[in-house]
Amino acid sequence: MKNIDSKGHVRGESIYLDDIPMRVGTLYGDIYDAPCAHGKIKSVDYSEAEQFPGVVKILTHQDVSGENQIGGIFPDEPLFAEDEIHFWGMPIALIIAETEYIARQARKLIKIDIEKLPAIVDPKEAKAKGSLIFPPRTFKLGDVEAAWEGCDYVFEGSADSGGQEHLYIETQGAYAYLMENGNVRIASSTQGPTAVQRTVAKVLGVPMHKVEVDVTRLGGGFGGKEDQATAWGVMAALATTALKRPVKIALHRMDDMRMTGKRHPYRSDFKIGLNKDLKITAYEVTFYQNAGAAADLSPAVMERTLFHATNSYYIPNVTATAYSCRTHLPPNTAFRGFGGPQGMFVMESAIAKAARELGVEPHEIQQRNLLKDGDEFPYGQIVDHAEALSTWENAVDKFKLQSLRQEVDDFNSHNKHLKKGIAMQPVCFGISFTNTPMNNARALVHIYSDGSVGVSTGAVEMGQGVNTKMLQVAASTFSIDPAKVKLETTNTTRVANTSPSAASSTADLNGKALQIACDKLLERLKETAAKVLKSEVTYILLQDDQVYCEGKPTELSWEQLVQAAFLDRVCLTENGHYATPVIHFDKAKEKGHPFAYHVYGTAILVVTVDCIRGTYVFDAVKLVHDFGKSMNEHIDLGQIEGGLVQGIGWMTMEDLQYNDEGKLLSNALSTYKVPDIYSVPKEIIVEALETEGHEMAILKSKAVGEPPLMYGLGAYFAIQDAIRAYNPDYQMKFDAPFTPEKVLNGLYEKSNVSVPGV
Ligand code: LUZ
Ligand code: MOS
């Protein structure tokens, strides 16, 4: 089954927000945002901008009819700044004009008088000043304090990881227009149509039923549109309601980069204890999450950091504490992996540090501590269906780790200024929203009287191929040609109260709901078939395209069956509701069974570092991944490759730079480097682990969205391995991203290494 969007994408026919034909009278909105990170607004002068020809209105917090509040988890985020500025890029006003160009010209004429206040950009500084988003949380297993005594080795260190720009190709935006009776309809580039609907209702001060949100597809989300697509949808809805004309907002790239939050940067301190046999017996870690200026999804992201603090390893004594620190950066938000990668980076750093100190290879420690069935995660869930060892052993055997290592060593002994490095990267990722109530979905299925099928779910297509998977679920349940099934847009009037498309769970949750709806319809159709075939009832049947005849059939085509059911007045519409069974979590005890299942895998990464330039090329990434029984190998492979490269980008080249005043310096693609076709690994081999799949996964095909990003963690450690081959004096640091500048410093730190002639 090919991705149903391939042809449309290649031909440029797929509809994104910017492809929606404009209604007559459409106005354009542009955002006036804060020109500093922290301060008090003394006055804003809009007079010149308001008089600019073509400007229709400038909206501020004073024009909000309901609440000026868009915070999802906590109400701490105003839609428009009132008296205070909390981050550089915080929206202050919305300029509505006849054209986008005019709105942008007028923006330059707004004058503001601010009393600037000092900005905090570092999470540890925020913590020291008591600036937390909410109280810290601690996950505990065993007793670390008691365990240190018994450890043969104990090492301490710190590990920091940077943020990451989502860089969805389609920037944030929305298009809103009025229906009758003041009802508003919003086409939104959002992963969370219900979040937009709920927030529009709150800001306008109207019930949710007056707000309809419709999503055809997104040009990428990666978490950046789970919560942060909302503001623009709300602004468009507010303006269209105020002005009674359609209003479109589509952010320019640099505005998007400046105003929106990113992956959370983290700073962390760790302490790891091991025994002589390289078993990790104790691990203590403290995370300082840079939440930015408002909660957004930070509490949930922080929670997932704690869930994944020990990655694929069983450690009997663990204390993991996390602080969500309020700083003056734009509110950081969901990003593929959702805090998990940040937690796992510290674990891997601790292992790398211990390995270095003990003179062993990190993979010797990694391998001895992999999870097995019956082990306990620090959050109380007992490991079952563990594939940590099986993916590891498969990777070691299939890709011949020993000979890869040998090749790297041989290369290094024959090359002076090029050095190769190698790293193993196991991954274990929990599938389910960590917030248990969010694990539900619905689907609405119509079988039309001609046998064609229309499917609506809460799933948002953002390039991940979920619509194709939904179509497969319907077609396979009905045993019909996939061409008979159409996926409708994601719309809050057809499927309500949805969780965002996120947490790698979209296909599982919506697919299971769809399966339930299809199964109910199938049962009904079977009853009709039994009646017809037993000749209890005779119907006029549709045969051979449009020919009607009467008779006693001995077999029924799908179309005949549907027609017969229709004539027998059987309901051909059904709704399915799915809520993940089994899962639960007790936040008071920090124990439970939060995940439906885990996804596992192991990657081997090989890199070549140019020791004169500090640049690097990934020669190969070879991995064994636990797909379960993949329902669509093309789509799943695409997710693995994309996730891997995104993870490598985060670990190596994507370098978000803010100055001390909280201004984003890497604010365009000229200063913020993302992986391109030249920087993807030269060779990517993905082997599927052979398993029976998991019952909790849709068609036993495991979630595949986020887990592969974390293979990219190995990029950091492979580069470190190469640097060590060049510079034995290199002091290990854990400070991602490992940019070429940092690599160069690592290669030449310590004065006793001669710098090659330039
Ligand atoms: N979003 C969310 C997520 O709200 N809860 C989660 O647990 C999650 N996990 C991954 C990605 N997005
Ligand atoms: Mo996400 S980080 O699953 O929106």
Side-chain angles (χ1 to χ4, degrees):
M1 180 77 205
K2 285 191 177 152
N3 188 323
I4 55 172
D5 278 341
S6 330
K7 280 189 185 162
H9 286 0
V10 170
R11 291 171 175 164
E13 291 167 352
S14 301
I15 304 281
Y16 297 87
L17 189 76
D18 235 19
D19 301 305
I20 299 172
M22 290 298 98
R23 297 179 161 225
V24 173
T26 293
L27 298 169
Y28 297 83
D30 197 39
I31 292 99
Y32 174 68
D33 61 300
C36 75
H38 189 202
K40 285 199 160 61
I41 300 177
K42 299 214 299 221
S43 68
V44 193
D45 179 3
Y46 297 108
S47 55
E48 232 182 297
E50 274 166 343
Q51 278 148 32
F52 193 78
V55 170
V56 176
K57 184 148 177 75
I58 297 178
L59 297 165
T60 70
H61 69 93
Q62 289 170 325
D63 299 289
V64 171
S65 39
E67 285 177 60
N68 180 37
Q69 181 52 246
I70 60 169
I73 297 184
F74 296 140
D76 68 347
E77 189 176 356
L79 175 67
F80 295 116
E82 295 180 12
D83 309 322
E84 284 177 28
I85 288 166
H86 300 140
F87 63 92
W88 205 304
M90 184 176 186
I92 296 174
L94 178 68
I95 306 139
I96 303 292
E98 296 291 344
T99 69
E100 189 186 22
Y101 180 76
I102 293 170
R104 292 180 72 78
Q105 291 303 108
R107 176 167 102 173
K108 297 180 194 155
L109 304 175
I110 298 174
K111 295 183 197 71
I112 190 162
D113 187 9
I114 302 169
E115 180 194 333
K116 280 197 192 169
L117 297 168
I120 302 177
V121 295
D122 179 82
K124 282 190 175 174
E125 184 190 341
K127 155 78 172 40
K129 292 186 171 152
S131 176
L132 297 181
I133 297 269
F134 61 101
R137 288 173 67 179
T138 298
F139 283 18
K140 264 190 183 176
L141 184 68
D143 184 348
V144 269
E145 284 314 318
W148 299 127
E149 291 288 303
C151 293
D152 294 323
Y153 316 107
V154 176
F155 305 105
E156 289 181 64
S158 53
D160 300 342
S161 58
Q164 187 174 22
E165 163 63 41
H166 300 86
L167 216 88
Y168 23 65
I169 299 225
E170 177 191 48
T171 54
Q172 302 274 7
Y175 182 38
Y177 44 87
L178 287 181
M179 312 298 280
E180 61 179 14
N181 298 326
N183 298 329
V184 61
R185 190 166 197 268
I186 303 139
S188 168
S189 180
T190 179
Q191 291 171 241
T194 294
V196 174
Q197 180 196 23
R198 188 191 303 119
T199 315
V200 167
K202 177 154 127 181
V203 173
L204 294 186
V206 301
M208 281 171 77
H209 70 208
K210 290 184 79 68
V211 183
E212 172 183 350
V213 177
D214 189 81
V215 184
T216 303
R217 66 165 63 68
L218 321 186
F222 309 113
K225 297 170 183 171
E226 181 176 338
D227 209 48
Q228 299 212 355
T230 299
W232 329 109
V234 172
M235 287 182 197
L238 187 69
T240 202
T241 307
L243 301 170
K244 312 272 184 278
R245 284 173 67 178
V247 174
K248 179 170 170 179
I249 296 173
L251 297 192
H252 282 221
R253 177 67 64 189
M254 287 174 76
D255 292 344
D256 188 310
M257 291 178 83
R258 184 178 65 254
M259 293 185 212
T260 65
K262 315 190 184 303
R263 181 188 293 288
H264 294 76
Y266 273 63
R267 301 192 62 192
S268 312
D269 300 314
F270 63 79
K271 184 171 171 187
I272 186 170
L274 303 91
N275 282 346
K276 288 224 160 60
D277 61 0
L278 300 184
K279 285 267 190 200
I280 306 171
T281 47
Y283 181 55
E284 189 171 45
V285 59
T286 309
F287 299 106
Y288 302 88
Q289 178 199 53
N290 192 333
D296 190 275
L297 293 166
S298 297
V301 171
M302 189 189 94
E303 184 173 56
R304 198 175 267 281
T305 301
L306 292 170
F307 281 121
H308 296 307
T310 52
N311 189 14
S312 306
Y313 310 108
Y314 172 64
I315 305 176
N317 301 288
V318 177
T319 298
T321 300
Y323 296 91
S324 182
C325 309
R326 195 186 293 275
T327 62
H328 297 102
L329 300 188
N332 287 313
T333 192
F335 195 132
R336 203 172 191 173
F338 204 75
Q342 291 96 316
M344 288 155 63
F345 177 67
V346 186
M347 181 79 254
E348 295 299 332
S349 297
I351 290 174
K353 166 120 187 181
R356 173 76 199 251
E357 299 284 342
L358 296 173
V360 300
E361 292 210 39
H363 70 76
E364 296 179 55
I365 300 178
Q366 290 171 312
Q367 187 262 334
R368 276 180 185 68
N369 292 281
L370 293 169
L371 288 162
K372 296 185 189 68
D373 280 2
D375 288 343
E376 186 178 347
F377 285 105
Y379 46 90
Q381 185 159 343
I382 303 301
V383 178
D384 66 359
H385 295 76
E387 305 292 3
L389 265 172
S390 53
T391 56
W392 179 282
E393 284 166 359
N394 265 282
V396 167
D397 293 348
K398 283 196 169 118
F399 305 131
K400 304 196 173 57
L401 177 67
Q402 286 319 318
S403 51
L404 283 177
R405 176 80 254 179
Q406 195 56 50
E407 283 165 30
V408 166
D409 292 343
D410 289 349
F411 180 93
N412 288 347
S413 58
H414 290 105
N415 286 276
K416 188 150 182 242
H417 294 310
L418 289 176
K419 296 291 180 192
K420 285 187 190 287
I422 190 167
M424 296 285 286
Q425 186 57 60
V427 166
C428 166
F429 197 77
I431 303 303
S432 289
F433 286 95
T434 57
N435 184 23
T436 305
M438 291 172 79
N439 293 285
N440 69 88
R442 279 149 305 287
L444 178 68
V445 181
H446 299 313
I447 304 176
Y448 295 100
S449 58
D450 67 353
S452 64
V453 175
V455 169
S456 299
T457 74
V460 170
E461 175 62 54
M462 48 187 139
Q464 86 279 44
V466 73
N467 279 356
T468 304
K469 289 190 170 180
M470 294 303 99
L471 188 143
Q472 285 179 270
V473 169
S476 68
T477 310
F478 292 142
S479 310
I480 57 174
D481 182 347
K484 291 198 192 344
V485 184
K486 178 190 170 209
L487 258 291
E488 305 291 352
T489 62
T490 313
N491 186 298
T492 53
T493 66
R494 269 178 274 113
V495 180
N497 307 323
T498 58
S499 292
S501 285
S504 305
S505 303
T506 313
D508 277 357
L509 296 174
N510 292 277
K512 294 247 177 191
L514 177 56
Q515 212 171 28
I516 289 167
C518 292
D519 280 337
K520 287 198 243 174
L521 286 162
L522 196 60
E523 279 314 303
R524 263 181 236 154
L525 289 172
K526 282 183 187 164
E527 285 168 24
T528 303
K531 279 162 115 184
V532 173
L533 295 174
K534 277 194 239 154
S535 303
E536 284 170 12
V537 282
T538 317
Y539 299 104
I540 299 169
L541 291 176
L542 177 66
Q543 282 186 343
D544 305 335
D545 277 357
Q546 314 302 329
V547 180
Y548 290 80
C549 73
E550 258 178 282
K552 284 187 185 175
T554 52
E555 63 180 51
L556 284 166
S557 70
W558 168 257
E559 284 77 6
Q560 288 169 330
L561 177 57
V562 168
Q563 183 72 7
F566 175 67
L567 293 174
D568 199 26
R569 296 179 291 174
V570 170
C571 173
L572 292 174
T573 286
E574 197 46 84
N575 177 57
H577 170 83
Y578 177 74
T580 312
V582 182
I583 55 172
H584 57 89
F585 194 70
D586 180 344
K587 284 192 187 179
K589 298 201 180 88
E590 304 286 28
K591 296 284 179 194
H593 187 107
F595 298 119
Y597 57 89
H598 290 78
V599 170
Y600 295 87
T602 301
I604 306 177
L605 299 90
V606 181
V607 71
T608 302
V609 172
D610 178 327
C611 301
I612 294 174
R613 295 179 181 81
T615 54
Y616 37 74
V617 174
F618 285 86
D619 305 322
V621 178
K622 303 178 180 189
L623 61 94
V624 176
H625 186 82
D626 164 29
F627 292 96
K629 283 168 85 84
S630 174
M631 68 187 286
N632 193 314
E633 287 168 14
H634 298 292
I635 284 175
D636 287 353
L637 181 61
Q639 289 291 89
I640 300 279
E641 291 177 348
L644 166 68
V645 172
Q646 204 165 31
I648 292 176
W650 172 53
M651 277 288 112
T652 61
M653 63 206 306
E654 296 189 42
D655 193 13
L656 281 174
Q657 292 282 345
Y658 295 88
N659 69 11
D660 291 343
E661 295 180 358
K663 179 180 189 174
L664 179 67
L665 303 176
S666 49
N667 63 350
L669 285 175
S670 53
T671 47
Y672 183 77
K673 298 296 183 189
V674 292
D676 58 13
I677 193 67
Y678 300 104
S679 44
V680 303
K682 286 187 186 157
E683 186 183 21
I684 299 177
I685 301 179
V686 178
E687 291 270 348
L689 180 75
E690 286 192 23
T691 70
E692 276 308 298
H694 201 288
E695 288 298 337
M696 301 270 270
I698 182 64
L699 302 176
K700 299 193 175 180
S701 178
K702 282 188 168 184
V704 73
E706 296 172 288
L709 182 131
M710 284 148 274
Y711 293 131
L713 289 168
Y716 192 93
F717 302 96
I719 291 175
Q720 243 178 5
D721 191 46
I723 294 178
R724 285 180 52 193
Y726 185 80
N727 178 8
D729 291 341
Y730 166 65
Q731 293 298 308
M732 276 189 158
K733 283 168 282 294
F734 306 102
D735 180 19
F738 223 148
T739 57
E741 290 88 337
K742 285 187 199 159
V743 172
L744 206 55
N745 285 336
L747 288 164
Y748 297 104
E749 68 185 23
K750 279 279 167 97
S751 51
N752 58 355
V753 177
S754 66
V755 177
V758 178

